[in-house]
Amino acid sequence: AIQMTQSPSSLSASVGDRVTITCRASQGIGNDLGWYQQKTGKAPKLLIYAASSLQSGVPSRFSGSGSGTDFTLTISSLQPEDFATYYCLQDYNYPFTFGQGTKLEIK
Amino acid sequence: EVQLVESGGGLVQPGGSLRLSCEASGFSFSKYWMSWVRQAPGKGREWVANIKEDGGEKFYVDSVKGRFTISRDNAKMSVYLQMNSLRAEDTAVYYCARETKDSSLPDVWGQGTTVTVSS
């Protein structure tokens, strides 16, 4: 199975900061990667699919990039509602695999 | 409103069986692949299985192959996960999810049902 290594595992930042989270795949996955946001007690929200496509309704401050093995999720200017846990998911081949998650906390 | 509601979780002894159900509403269920994903206590999410729109293709994570079976009934707008030979490591919250049309990524999730395997 493809391993997805996500970093950092936790991150402290302030409102207005630019934040980057990375996922590295153990083998090439093209651009078959998504990014999710999850808040406590809520269902995950798909932010980015196909590595860089913004899901409908997601604010443009979220962006994704990368292909092959290295991917990034960037939040250009953190808003209070962005403090949550983020994780990646590869859908290149079965079994689909998740990154371990990044908890984004208020500094 | 697009919604997925899971049911069927509970406490079961090792070696036992459970059948999880997920009822969909608010979208054309028969036009979407559906998935099950789980999260064990203190661990990350693990993709478990998915099934094609017509039920003709199914895929599983290796750890459940031969023990779990995913199925669906489009007339009832429901997807199921039959879990046999349960192990302690199957203890988790199980989520039903709809996959997007543009990728295989889940875009709609249920709130989950808890499965505890313990004697």
Side-chain angles (χ1 to χ4, degrees):
Chain A
I2 296 173
Q3 294 185 12
M4 302 302 298
T5 303
Q6 188 172 337
S7 62
S9 56
S10 64
L11 176 60
S12 294
S14 302
V15 173
D17 284 353
R18 180 184 180 89
V19 166
T20 298
I21 298 168
T22 66
C23 259
R24 173 164 290 176
S26 60
Q27 67 182 73
I29 60 171
N31 68 343
D32 292 332
L33 181 115
W35 288 97
Y36 291 85
Q37 177 194 69
Q38 186 171 17
K39 298 181 180 179
T40 303
K42 296 285 188 106
K45 178 181 180 180
L46 179 62
L47 303 173
I48 301 286
Y49 65 95
S52 60
S53 297
L54 195 67
Q55 178 74 349
S56 176
V58 174
S60 59
R61 63 181 180 273
F62 291 93
S63 64
S65 64
S67 66
T69 60
D70 294 310
F71 302 86
T72 59
L73 171 71
T74 300
I75 309 172
S76 60
S77 178
L78 272 175
Q79 299 301 300
E81 60 269 27
D82 299 338
F83 292 94
T85 298
Y86 294 83
Y87 53 94
C88 61
L89 171 63
Q90 69 82 16
D91 63 328
Y92 177 75
N93 67 11
Y94 293 107
F96 299 161
T97 44
F98 290 87
Q100 304 98 310
T102 295
K103 187 172 184 179
L104 180 54
E105 299 174 309
I106 301 173
K107 186 183 287 184
Chain B
E1 180 190 6
V2 174
Q3 195 172 10
L4 298 170
V5 179
E6 302 96 335
S7 61
L11 174 64
V12 62
Q13 291 188 340
S17 298
L18 274 179
R19 187 192 194 213
L20 305 184
S21 299
C22 170
E23 185 170 356
S25 59
F27 65 98
S28 297
F29 178 78
S30 63
K31 296 182 179 179
Y32 288 86
W33 283 70
M34 298 296 295
S35 296
W36 286 96
V37 173
R38 67 185 178 184
Q39 187 165 19
K43 296 198 172 182
R45 294 202 174 213
E46 180 182 40
W47 178 89
V48 174
N50 70 353
I51 185 168
K52 193 177 179 181
E53 297 96 328
D54 63 0
E57 292 183 52
K58 307 173 185 181
F59 298 91
Y60 300 90
V61 67
D62 283 352
S63 59
V64 309
K65 280 181 183 175
R67 301 189 299 123
F68 290 13
T69 302
I70 189 171
S71 62
R72 65 190 296 162
D73 184 335
N74 286 343
K76 294 184 178 179
M77 295 185 65
S78 293
V79 61
Y80 308 99
L81 189 66
Q82 177 67 44
M83 305 186 296
N84 299 331
S85 302
L86 282 161
R87 306 166 180 167
E89 54 265 36
D90 296 317
T91 294
V93 179
Y94 285 73
Y95 299 90
C96 165
R98 182 189 81 173
E99 297 183 5
T100 69
K101 285 293 190 181
D102 298 313
S103 70
S104 297
L105 298 167
D107 67 338
V108 177
W109 299 71
Q111 287 301 308
T113 187
T114 300
V115 172
T116 304
V117 184
S118 175
S119 55

